[in-house]
Amino acid sequence: MRALSFAALIGLTSFVRGQDIDPAADLDSFGNNTLFNTWRPQYHFLAPAGWMNDPCGAGYDPHRDEYHLMYQFNPNHVQWGNMSWGHAVSKDLITWTDVGGWRNSEAVALAPSESYDRLGIFSGTMQPTNLTGGQDGTLMLFYTSVDALPTNWKLPYIPGTESQSLALSSDGGRTWQKYEGNPVIEGSPEGWNITGHRDPFFELWPEMDQLLGQEEEHWYMVLGSGIKGVGPRMPLYSAKRNDPTKWTFLGALWEPSMNETFGDVKVTGSYGFNFEVPNFFSLKDSRGKAHYYVSMGAEGGSIPSHSRWSLWSEGQVTRRQNGSAEFSVMSSGVSDWGNLYAITAFQDTKHNRRVQWGWSEEDMNSYGVKAQGFQGAFGLPRELFVKETYNIIPEPGNPIAAKSGEVATQNANGTFTASTLGVRPLQDVVKGLRQGSKKTSFRPGKRSSTEYLNESSAHFSLSATLSSASGPAGFIIRASEDGTEQTAIVYDPTAHTISVDRSRSSLITQFANFMASGHYFAPLLHGGKREAVRLDVFVDGSLVEVFANDRFALTTRVYPSKQDATKMALYVEDGAEAKFEDVTVYANFKNVFPGRPKNSSSPLVWDSPEVSGNGTYWAGW
């Protein structure tokens, strides 16, 4: 550990005493893990320490009535490198237990060990099946095995960088055995000058069997990819259910152009240049009609605030003349308007629902991250469903008439029903997290000024329904007693946005205290009333998640330096007014890893030149 500067010693002493962090202190000179609990979430899924990114291997094991969730993991340090998988299990998706233990190396489930994966175990998915397609308690996962680095869509692709491999477990994921015939899928499609070829997502899919005229059940797999100078791609593969070691390339499922946008980029996002962590699935609406969706991380953006997007698209799926499948976009939207990325989902067969996970990176500009001792967390588990909004009246500026995230159907009375990909936190999980917390409700009514609530917490949820808003209105969270630190969550009915204003979130100016904002349009409904906006906000240390009307999500980070930055308020901009109803606070949620100590930090390990390829593979922290 480096010697601390005098300013850092003052800041460190203040922290140890539970007081404010001196914004003038050099956090990079603090000792490793000294700020471990300062901004750490407690009711979200996260690694015991070190770096974590993409969710992997999420799934339900019906043989043991157990949920699994794995994650990209560098147990040695707080920066990317040494990519392995960590692993935890749960009976209810609420509380979790680390498989193997919480201490850094104990938590590793799958690590580089073979020539084909010597430089990394990249992302993938899991299914409760054996190699013959049966369910006998065996778990099977596919992952991207990495044999060359670096890999980046902007760089020339090194041949042989990525291949797809599988591993099996016969003891509920406590140990894993890599398939002796790995890698199962080598190389990339012939003739593709690729930008990447990774993150296998595979499922059984009866609807696709029917579309392609398959008499036997098949597994279907999509990978994240792209062709340089052409556009991102989702290569589609299939294998018979009874032999997932032999895959056939069916062609590109979808072929968008380079950096293409479906509609206005500020509404539907940009497909970028390379796809990562793709999903392909179908959901049924209230009438039983199937809707087909893809979701993906899109690298490369066309506006400065988004260098990568978390997107979804709904489309029609048809059979090509060569017998493969083609996806044609009908609507497109943003899965999360903030920094939730690498979003993936699995079919929860226990409750017949599709459950989504995503990764929220820290937003510290890597400042003081070694003192924090960990980096990254997952958002709350979310349910995906077909969201239908009824009785919409056409009006000037209504995006229902344009390319957007909705497919509109006109009714006999002239109104429209709009369907979109719905998203909301799993309600049973939220209910479980709130057990033992303090619930407070506040009187409804119109407000024309900001009103502080008699509640304070750093780990809470705050909900309200806003209507008749004449201007920006919403919440203030993580506010200090003197008001020098505060974060505003604002619905603006004129700009059609929901934003998290972080310009005053922290006195530590090195952090990324910029605005996080997304498009949200409240339509006019039959009878002439504007749709009310239900805001559900979850705050957990530094992690902030905002949901609206089951069709908007935004995840971001805030890092207040003051210990008393726990106040909250109902916000109304000067000169505006809004009606607030159903205002509820649940303060102090439970800890979802009860088997870990409060401080599960671990010493940070410097990667030697030999391990990091002299800093070529990763930075060598």
Side-chain angles (χ1 to χ4, degrees):
M1 185 175 74
R2 288 183 293 166
L4 301 183
S5 67
F6 180 70
L9 282 169
I10 295 174
L12 178 56
T13 303
S14 297
F15 164 73
V16 171
R17 292 176 179 172
Q19 299 175 4
D20 301 342
I21 299 172
D22 180 2
D26 179 8
L27 299 193
D28 279 340
S29 66
F30 276 43
N32 294 343
N33 303 307
T34 53
L35 300 178
F36 189 78
N37 288 314
T38 305
W39 298 292
R40 187 170 172 84
Q42 70 179 29
Y43 67 83
H44 284 74
F45 187 103
L46 72 172
W51 165 278
M52 72 178 292
N53 58 299
D54 303 7
C56 304
Y60 174 68
D61 176 5
H63 191 77
R64 297 172 179 82
D65 185 27
E66 193 169 60
Y67 290 98
H68 294 258
L69 185 55
M70 290 168 256
Y71 50 95
Q72 291 274 271
F73 187 34
N74 182 355
N76 297 326
H77 219 285
V78 291
Q79 300 290 7
W80 191 95
N82 296 298
M83 278 295 99
S84 303
W85 282 19
H87 187 189
V89 293
S90 173
K91 289 292 185 181
D92 54 13
L93 294 172
I94 301 169
T95 56
W96 294 86
T97 301
D98 294 295
V99 174
W102 59 267
R103 293 174 178 83
N104 51 9
S105 59
E106 293 176 345
V108 174
L110 206 62
S113 63
E114 309 296 329
S115 59
Y116 56 84
D117 65 15
R118 66 188 183 92
L119 291 182
I121 308 290
F122 279 15
S123 304
T125 48
M126 183 197 75
Q127 295 291 342
T129 184
N130 59 29
L131 286 177
T132 62
Q135 288 195 343
D136 59 1
T138 301
L139 302 176
M140 180 175 71
L141 59 83
F142 268 91
Y143 67 94
T144 295
S145 37
V146 181
D147 185 33
L149 286 173
T151 179
N152 185 293
W153 67 271
K154 298 178 183 179
L155 301 176
Y157 192 85
I158 304 171
T161 293
E162 296 161 317
S163 58
Q164 318 312 316
S165 297
L166 69 83
L168 299 159
S169 175
S170 59
D171 58 5
R174 274 58 184 176
T175 59
W176 293 90
Q177 294 76 46
K178 296 176 183 178
Y179 177 59
E180 61 182 11
N182 279 342
V184 174
I185 300 177
E186 292 188 80
S188 56
E190 186 177 354
W192 285 26
N193 181 17
I194 58 173
T195 51
H197 199 242
R198 55 182 170 270
D199 310 334
F201 173 85
F202 76 108
E203 284 188 333
L204 294 172
W205 200 350
E207 291 91 345
M208 186 61 74
D209 283 338
Q210 184 177 4
L211 177 72
L212 299 183
Q214 301 282 16
E215 295 183 359
E216 296 181 67
E217 279 190 291
H218 279 66
W219 297 104
Y220 293 92
M221 177 189 290
V222 287
L223 294 167
S225 189
I227 302 176
K228 284 188 181 295
V230 179
R233 290 292 183 269
M234 245 180 234
L236 177 65
Y237 295 79
S238 71
K240 292 181 179 180
R241 176 171 182 162
N242 62 8
D243 191 358
T245 67
K246 293 183 175 64
W247 292 83
T248 299
F249 174 57
L250 300 180
L253 176 66
W254 182 28
E255 299 177 314
S257 300
M258 185 170 56
N259 212 21
E260 181 182 347
T261 62
F262 178 70
D264 182 344
V265 67
K266 295 181 181 178
V267 176
T268 62
S270 164
Y271 298 140
F273 301 88
N274 182 71
F275 285 156
E276 294 189 297
V277 197
N279 283 200
F280 188 18
F281 55 92
S282 55
L283 298 169
K284 291 185 177 180
D285 62 22
S286 59
R287 297 165 295 169
K289 177 185 175 183
H291 295 246
Y292 294 87
Y293 297 98
V294 294
S295 68
M296 59 283 181
E299 290 190 300
S302 51
I303 59 177
S305 60
H306 283 85
S307 61
R308 61 188 183 190
W309 293 86
S310 294
L311 302 175
W312 62 265
S313 293
E314 180 181 356
Q316 294 177 329
V317 184
T318 55
R319 184 176 179 178
R320 299 179 191 262
Q321 287 187 347
N322 64 0
S324 66
E326 180 178 16
F327 181 81
S328 302
V329 181
M330 299 163 53
S331 67
S332 193
V334 178
S335 298
D336 192 286
W337 286 96
N339 77 347
L340 202 73
Y341 190 69
I343 295 176
T344 191
F346 73 97
Q347 186 63 28
D348 179 2
T349 55
K350 182 175 182 178
H351 297 291
N352 190 29
R353 62 188 178 184
R354 187 155 288 268
V355 176
Q356 183 185 71
W357 291 97
W359 159 61
S360 174
E361 189 176 0
E362 305 295 326
D363 217 353
M364 309 175 82
N365 290 325
S366 291
Y367 176 69
V369 70
K370 285 189 285 186
Q372 181 171 269
F374 68 92
Q375 181 154 213
F378 290 166
L380 291 172
R382 303 173 176 185
E383 181 181 5
L384 298 179
F385 62 101
V386 180
K387 167 69 175 176
E388 295 166 294
T389 304
Y390 305 99
N391 298 316
I392 298 174
I393 299 174
E395 59 176 318
N398 189 338
I400 201 167
K403 286 187 172 183
S404 67
E406 297 167 322
V407 175
T409 303
Q410 190 167 14
N411 304 311
N413 65 355
T415 65
F416 286 81
T417 297
S419 67
T420 190
L421 182 60
V423 60
R424 61 192 171 209
L426 291 184
Q427 296 305 292
D428 54 320
V429 171
V430 171
K431 183 178 179 181
L433 293 173
R434 287 171 172 166
Q435 287 181 355
S437 63
K438 177 187 175 185
K439 177 183 178 181
T440 307
S441 299
F442 298 87
R443 62 177 178 82
K446 283 192 174 181
R447 288 167 170 81
S448 56
S449 61
T450 298
E451 175 186 334
Y452 277 85
L453 305 178
N454 189 28
E455 280 296 328
S456 63
S457 177
H459 308 276
F460 65 96
S461 70
L462 172 58
S463 304
T465 300
L466 275 66
S467 59
S468 304
S470 64
F475 304 131
I476 288 175
I477 60 166
R478 297 304 314 258
S480 60
E481 289 285 347
D482 61 8
T484 57
E485 291 185 327
Q486 58 179 273
T487 298
I489 299 169
V490 182
Y491 163 60
D492 188 333
T494 302
H496 307 308
T497 58
I498 296 175
S499 304
V500 180
D501 184 352
R502 301 187 296 169
S503 60
R504 298 171 62 189
S505 291
S506 180
L507 294 174
I508 303 172
T509 58
Q510 289 88 342
F511 295 158
N513 297 322
F514 57 83
M515 179 88 75
S517 183
H519 175 82
Y520 183 85
F521 188 91
L524 193 64
L525 304 180
H526 185 63
K529 289 192 69 174
R530 182 73 57 188
E531 179 191 51
V533 180
R534 173 70 179 182
L535 286 176
D536 291 291
V537 176
F538 296 85
V539 179
D540 192 11
S542 66
L543 192 57
V544 179
E545 292 184 272
V546 182
F547 298 90
N549 286 23
D550 293 347
R551 62 176 191 265
F552 175 95
L554 188 158
T555 304
T556 191
R557 296 286 191 149
V558 298
Y559 303 97
S561 65
K562 290 180 171 289
Q563 293 286 321
D564 65 6
T566 57
K567 293 177 66 62
M568 60 192 81
L570 306 181
Y571 168 78
V572 181
E573 187 177 272
D574 290 344
E577 69 173 17
K579 185 178 181 181
F580 287 79
E581 297 178 284
D582 303 321
V583 181
T584 307
V585 175
Y586 287 87
N588 302 320
F589 281 25
K590 70 168 57 177
N591 173 20
V592 299
F593 280 94
R596 292 179 186 168
K598 186 177 181 181
N599 187 332
S600 58
S601 63
S602 58
L604 306 185
V605 178
W606 181 266
D607 292 338
S608 67
E610 292 78 16
V611 169
S612 65
N614 230 8
T616 302
Y617 306 146
W618 50 82
W621 286 77

